[in-house]
Amino acid sequence: MRNIMHNESAVLPSTPRQSAKHDKTLISISLVFVFITIGLLMMYPTGSQEAAKSMFSGLTNSIGSVVQLFGFAAVCIVLYVGSSKFGDIKLGEGDPEYTNTSWLFMFICAGLGSATMYWAFMEWAYYYNGIGLNIPAQSNEALRTSLSYVFFHWGITPWAIYALASVTMAYHFHINRSKGLNLSTLVSSILNLDENSTASRVIGRVLDLTFLFATFGGLILTTTVTIGTVSTGFASLFGIENSFLLKTGLLALVTLTFTLSSYIGISEGLQKIAHMACGMTFVFGLIVLVLGDTTFIIDFVVNSLGLTLSNFVEMSLFTDVTNDGTFNKDWTVFYWLYWITYTPGVSIFVTRISKGRTIRQVIFGLIAGGCAGCWFFFGSLSGYAVDMFASDIINAPQILTTISGDYAVAELIANLPMGSFLSVFYFILMMVFLASHLDATAYTVAAVSTKGLKQGEDPERSLRLFWCVMLSLLPLAMLYINASLDTLKTAVTLTAAPFIVVLLLCIVGLKKFLSSHKFVENK
């Protein structure tokens, strides 16, 4: 594989940057929000979690069907655009800045949280205990279908949502020559607003604030689940107390890692840590596949892929309204909102690293690359866990309900040959993946809080470092109160809901941009 074409200094302009400035108002309001939220969580931990559960139910009941329809529509739209003549449109001039491998690894790390490692072992167990499509819980059919729902929730639809927003943002930035890499300039362009008008400034301010809040909401779940799983594993391995102090130390170590990576920059920092994270993930998945019952895992994965594809439309639009079921709201709607919290940041990051690529490459790169990576890793780890359950060796669904999912993960890894070594490898992998994901997120947050960021420019290092620290504070508060999964889900859904409107505008904007595109200019 060839080396990256440019280092960070090469993509920066040769003249001093004078137009880009810190958005002090945006930063200040965000900090007030962060510290008020932390204060309320620590002073009223029980009340906060009870209120969170109530808000989650109310929100998913009111907008659940809209969210599911949007997800299905996103798939149809991007597949059409990618397969049409519009797929040939090149986003920016020149050759791609990064190799295909580096490009894929970086957007996978930006688009996937390290909590993926936890869900890869345990998500099927949640579904076995209560699954959709009117399948009885804890039945053989529930077990047979469990992984197919995992593939659905980590497959085509979420990556299509990423692709929809990314292509719209990339077209606006690289072809329309946007004055800033943020949502406010995109929405102003879609609505034909003068960027200097009062309406444009108000909308822009609201959008940028909502983006920052949504980013924090998504990271709360990802970071809290990751650190909780790692601390439980290390406590079990080394016979120490799984204390808040241990969790704080692990979070501090992760923060230091991605802060150093962010300081170095995309080419020398994020690119390398993304290679490390994705490489280690592939190796771990391969090890589990080889050391486990390989034939069973492969057969189970193939069968699950068939179920996912054959039931895709029904899974996408299943609401269970006549039985008053909650599976679609508790999982499908939650997951689409979870992915949506990351969508603005991912679209900004994909735009930054996709100059010189075509719309088709971005769409099918995100969908094919994202699905392949997720399905391989989830298939390997979930298949192994299901085999342990079916063989009456480790009952993960029971451990999940009686003790915790974190404990079940530790038991599953310890049962592998060289279990202690693989446990350490797995928990280090989770921390590396978290550091890589937070690094990409810190970049996008810094980009949004920089005024007038132009093509080829990156946010200042000092601002990226500042956000590296800030992104760790809310998850620390959640670890302190030992927040439940319902509380973490609420943080996601409340911050993601406003972006449904933004993503609907992306559909309008993409149609507008593509309809007015002059193909002769690309010849």
Side-chain angles (χ1 to χ4, degrees), residues 53-166:
K53 186 175 182 178
S54 176
M55 287 187 288
F56 177 81
S57 298
L59 185 64
T60 53
N61 283 331
S62 60
I63 68 170
S65 295
V66 174
V67 173
Q68 288 179 254
L69 277 172
F70 168 75
F72 186 69
V75 174
C76 297
I77 291 168
V78 298
L79 290 180
Y80 166 73
V81 172
S83 303
S84 70
K85 63 178 181 179
F86 300 114
D88 295 324
I89 297 174
K90 188 175 181 181
L91 301 168
E93 301 173 355
D95 295 327
E97 195 172 338
Y98 301 100
T99 64
N100 290 334
T101 302
S102 295
W103 180 64
L104 287 169
F105 282 3
M106 284 193 287
F107 75 63
I108 286 175
C109 286
L112 290 179
S114 51
T116 302
M117 310 296 167
Y118 170 81
W119 296 118
F121 269 123
M122 292 304 301
E123 189 169 331
W124 71 272
Y126 287 90
Y127 301 160
Y128 175 75
N129 287 333
I131 198 167
L133 301 181
N134 297 317
I135 297 171
Q138 298 184 345
S139 63
N140 184 63
E141 184 65 13
L143 183 63
R144 189 176 78 93
T145 312
S146 59
L147 184 57
S148 68
Y149 247 115
V150 176
F151 285 166
F152 172 65
H153 287 149
W154 294 83
I156 297 170
T157 302
W159 290 101
I161 293 173
Y162 279 172
L164 173 64
S166 297

Side-chain angles (χ1 to χ4, degrees), residues 420-440:
S420 297
F421 169 77
L422 289 177
S423 295
V424 173
F425 182 87
Y426 172 82
F427 296 128
I428 291 175
L429 167 59
M430 286 192 79
M431 294 177 68
V432 171
F433 210 113
L434 178 59
S436 178
H437 176 71
L438 288 172
D439 190 358

Side-chain angles (χ1 to χ4, degrees), residues 450-493:
T450 300
K451 294 180 178 179
L453 195 67
K454 299 178 181 178
Q455 293 191 46
E457 293 182 344
D458 290 319
E460 290 185 2
R461 283 176 172 173
S462 59
L463 186 60
R464 300 204 302 265
L465 298 184
F466 168 78
W467 283 116
C468 285
V469 176
M470 291 299 105
L471 291 173
S472 302
L473 293 182
L474 273 179
L476 184 64
M478 287 294 189
L479 290 168
Y480 177 78
I481 69 171
N482 195 26
S484 67
L485 184 59
D486 286 336
T487 304
L488 299 175
K489 282 185 173 183
T490 303
V492 171
T493 55

Side-chain angles (χ1 to χ4, degrees), residues 214-235:
T215 300
F216 278 106
L219 284 178
I220 285 172
L221 176 60
T222 295
T223 307
T224 305
V225 169
T226 299
I227 297 299
T229 303
V230 173
S231 66
T232 299
F234 279 152

